[in-house]
Amino acid sequence: MSNPGNIVGGHKANLNNPNTSEESKQHSKDVLENEFAGGNVEKSGEKNPQNVAGGLKATVNNPQVSQEAKDSAQERLKDMGQ
């Protein structure tokens, strides 16, 4: 089976898409309610530390990010030993 989070995300996107039919939206609503407890899925676990560090480093180097966000990202990197 595919990743349940991806399935739920697809159905939620369909519900908010103005280009899909009412029949399609009703199907997505039924699937979410009957198979995924209204769209609540269990998170897959911990985040990959390398990915987190990469995102924080990108924040530090992004010129469109506020200094406050850069400082926060730098502090988190320091706490991670990066």
Side-chain angles (χ1 to χ4, degrees):
M1 181 174 184
S2 298
N3 181 328
N6 291 347
I7 295 170
V8 168
H11 284 292
K12 286 182 177 181
N14 184 47
L15 292 173
N16 292 301
N17 185 341
N19 298 320
T20 58
S21 68
E22 288 303 315
E23 180 182 358
S24 174
K25 289 182 184 196
Q26 185 58 49
H27 170 73
S28 288
K29 188 175 180 180
D30 291 342
V31 169
L32 288 171
E33 289 176 2
N34 297 327
E35 296 179 30
F36 294 100
N40 297 321
V41 292
E42 209 174 287
K43 297 206 178 192
S44 62
E46 287 189 34
K47 296 180 180 181
N48 181 326
Q50 282 84 20
N51 290 352
V52 173
L56 293 170
K57 288 176 184 176
T59 298
V60 169
N61 294 303
N62 185 339
Q64 296 185 344
V65 173
S66 70
Q67 189 60 45
E68 181 181 353
K70 288 181 181 186
D71 293 343
S72 173
Q74 190 66 48
E75 185 65 31
R76 289 182 59 195
L77 280 167
K78 183 179 168 187
D79 292 345
M80 294 174 69
Q82 297 281 326

